[in-house]
Amino acid sequence: MRTLLAVLSLAALLVSGNSALADKRVAFVVGNSAYKNVPQLPNPVVDAMSIAKVLRNVGFDVVEGANLSRDRMTEKLLEFGKKAEGADVAVFYYAGHGIAVNGTNYLLPVDADLKSEMDVKLGAAINVDVTLEQTMADAKVKLVFLDACRDNPFAAKIRSAKATRSVSVETGLAEMKSGEGTLIAFATGPGQTALDGEAGTNSPFTRALVANIARPGVEIQQAMTRVRAQVNDETNKNQLPWGHTNLTGDVYLNPAGRPADKPSETAGTASPASPASPVELEFWRSVKDSNKIEELNAYLTSYPNGSFKSLALARIASLQDGPSTTTRNLTTGIDPATFTEEADQTSEDQLGLDKAQRRDVQRRLTGLGFDTKASGKFDDETRGVIKRWQAARGYPATGYLNTLQHKALVSEIVSSRVASSDDGDDDEAHHVRHSGGGGGRHYRGGGGGGGPGAFFGHMMMGGLFGRR
């Protein structure tokens, strides 16, 4: 018992000391399509919605917007900046028109009406450098994705305006170099045009981001190499993404399946793939054969998503009700698609869960340490609990269930002594998202910049952002 107390004390000290390292993920995602003073773009809003969904599925708190005016963009940026304070990972994604004036990049709200350099610099546009510095400076890892390299119709207006000095106006975005802990990615390279895609679909760049950046166990720079290859192939080598990075470690947006010998720069605290620390291992060894439920619960309290959680729960169940005949490893028999297939309201409706079955789900979650009221109603509280369970298991965290995830949940061992709760209302709000688009095929102008300094890590790796 003395050994156990010592281990408990050490674990409590380390847990409290590491509480500030909890994985805080925040994202700014905006798509501007409905421009008022130039032809509208068909796909940025669709692109932004797709990226927002991907990021939410891996635990990001997303500040999202569509077709924002200058004032509304400022409001969203202020909200993002506050949330990004102290973040482990901050993501900035923008799709829409952008412009470079005298080497400085600007993003354009839908109400922008640029006729001169003064219009750009005195508030009609959003200065990218200032925005990133003010909103993301405090984040440990900063990932910036700019699908704004379009052939900008405002450029000609500004060039033709009378000015007292020479003005350099580019149709795409200018070169940007990243600071420490930062990755910046453009849809295409300098002097090139990027396809916007068919109306109502994603651009090739965003489609590649959606397909790769949140793959389980794929490090972000490896993911971006895949993005580059996918875009290059899809556009018949007519478009090559461009970027710059100064990341100082491996970054995984979805750490499930991450190699044990390559800890991420911002490893997710809920990742089931993370190996047990020496302290956790010693803690578990000290209680694993205990006949006292409170000692096993002490482990679960210190390590709510620990490597031995399933074994602790099975041990508790056996002590409460005799030996269990249903104990199994969490990953045994789990369909690999469970880790990638997203659930939504439609997939959950297809399960046809009645009130009793919903209660069963809630009781199972509580038995696994994800406490929720067994009301038979999937309210906001239950959605949040489902999302935490999904994140802990490495499944896409949407708060909704599909057939694979429900099967995986039922297969897990749970403590059988879960108190039932009062009945709840059966009515549920169904959340339906609509995406829109319109117009024909559009193209985006080249972005990025020349020079060897614009390569990832200042190395021509032939990876994501090397020039050909």
Side-chain angles (χ1 to χ4, degrees):
M1 190 65 186
R2 183 176 298 174
T3 301
L4 173 61
L5 290 175
V7 173
L8 283 171
S9 299
L10 178 59
L13 178 62
L14 290 178
V15 168
S16 61
N18 288 330
S19 61
L21 297 180
D23 202 8
K24 180 180 178 182
R25 298 169 159 219
V26 184
F28 174 86
V29 179
V30 166
N32 284 340
S33 293
Y35 285 89
K36 298 178 180 179
N37 298 299
V38 292
Q40 297 188 4
L41 296 168
N43 296 328
V45 170
V46 179
D47 290 335
M49 290 174 64
S50 298
I51 291 292
K53 183 176 182 180
V54 167
L55 294 176
R56 287 194 177 100
N57 284 344
V58 289
F60 277 83
D61 180 3
V62 180
V63 177
E64 186 177 2
N67 294 326
L68 300 183
S69 65
R70 179 65 167 80
D71 290 344
R72 288 289 292 142
M73 279 193 75
T74 300
E75 290 175 9
K76 291 289 184 182
L77 287 168
L78 288 171
E79 179 184 355
F80 170 61
K82 291 177 181 178
K83 290 186 175 183
E85 292 178 357
D88 293 288
V89 185
V91 170
F92 187 99
Y93 172 90
Y94 173 81
H97 275 311
I99 194 170
V101 177
N102 289 331
T104 300
N105 291 320
Y106 297 87
L107 307 180
L108 304 184
V110 295
D111 58 350
D113 188 12
L114 309 180
K115 299 181 178 68
S116 68
E117 179 188 11
M118 183 168 59
D119 290 334
V120 176
K121 294 189 173 182
L122 293 184
I126 306 290
N127 184 307
V128 176
D129 293 329
V130 173
T131 295
L132 299 182
E133 179 183 355
Q134 294 299 315
T135 60
M136 302 175 72
D138 197 37
K140 296 174 184 175
V141 172
K142 305 171 244 324
L143 307 178
V144 181
F145 304 103
L146 298 176
D147 202 352
C149 302
R150 296 171 167 84
D151 190 4
N152 198 295
F154 289 110
K157 292 184 179 181
I158 298 174
R159 289 193 195 101
S160 64
K162 292 182 179 180
T164 57
R165 58 190 176 88
S166 176
V167 178
S168 172
V169 183
E170 301 173 37
T171 54
L173 297 181
E175 176 185 357
M176 291 177 63
K177 292 186 178 181
S178 54
E180 182 177 350
T182 304
L183 178 150
I184 299 175
F186 296 95
T188 191
Q192 302 173 14
T193 56
L195 281 167
D196 198 18
E198 298 295 337
T201 67
N202 293 130
S203 72
F205 181 58
T206 293
R207 182 160 45 249
L209 291 175
V210 169
N212 291 285
I213 62 173
R215 286 196 176 189
V218 177
E219 200 275 330
I220 190 63
Q221 294 185 74
Q222 180 185 4
M224 296 308 293
T225 297
R226 297 180 181 184
V227 168
R228 176 180 182 268
Q230 180 175 328
V231 173
N232 198 42
D233 289 343
E234 185 176 326
T235 61
N236 294 318
K237 299 185 178 180
N238 289 317
Q239 180 179 334
L240 195 63
W242 180 270
H244 187 273
T245 184
N246 266 324
L247 294 178
T248 57
D250 294 333
V251 177
Y252 296 83
L253 295 192
N254 188 348
R258 184 181 67 242
D261 62 341
K262 296 192 73 175
S264 72
E265 191 167 327
T266 56
T269 57
S271 170
S274 300
S277 66
V279 173
E280 181 189 352
L281 181 59
E282 184 60 34
F283 194 162
W284 172 244
R285 285 173 175 169
S286 70
V287 302
K288 66 184 181 70
D289 297 320
S290 175
N291 291 322
K292 296 182 179 180
I293 292 176
E294 60 269 24
E295 293 182 357
L296 293 163
N297 277 330
Y299 167 79
L300 293 173
T301 299
S302 297
Y303 300 95
N305 294 302
S307 299
F308 308 102
K309 178 178 179 178
S310 60
L311 296 177
L313 291 169
R315 180 68 175 164
I316 290 171
S318 68
L319 291 173
Q320 290 175 329
D321 300 306
S324 171
T325 60
T326 58
T327 303
R328 67 195 71 189
N329 188 286
L330 288 178
T331 60
T332 301
I334 299 297
D335 189 322
T338 311
F339 295 93
T340 58
E341 187 172 308
E342 297 177 1
D344 54 21
Q345 184 71 65
T346 301
S347 69
E348 188 173 279
D349 289 344
Q350 290 171 348
L351 289 172
L353 300 178
D354 59 25
K355 190 170 186 177
Q357 291 170 316
R358 288 173 181 252
R359 279 183 171 178
D360 178 68
V361 167
Q362 291 168 321
R363 290 187 179 119
R364 286 179 180 277
L365 289 168
T366 299
L368 292 169
F370 301 89
D371 295 343
T372 186
K373 183 178 179 181
S375 62
K377 177 183 177 182
F378 286 179
D379 53 13
D380 289 343
E381 177 188 352
T382 300
R383 294 292 177 204
V385 169
I386 292 174
K387 196 170 184 179
R388 286 195 292 113
W389 170 77
Q390 290 168 325
R393 299 298 182 261
Y395 309 147
T398 65
Y400 295 90
L401 296 173
N402 56 25
T403 301
L404 292 172
Q405 290 180 12
H406 184 253
K407 181 180 178 181
L409 174 63
V410 172
S411 75
E412 292 189 33
I413 182 69
V414 299
S415 172
S416 61
R417 294 177 184 257
V418 181
S420 62
S421 303
D422 296 335
D423 290 355
D425 186 7
D426 280 331
D427 294 332
E428 285 192 80
H430 287 239
H431 303 285
V432 181
R433 297 181 66 184
H434 300 276
S435 63
R441 182 182 294 267
H442 285 247
Y443 293 83
R444 310 175 187 185
F455 296 104
F456 272 168
H458 299 276
M459 295 185 294
M460 299 172 62
M461 301 184 296
L464 171 60
F465 297 139
R467 173 180 271 175
R468 295 192 171 188

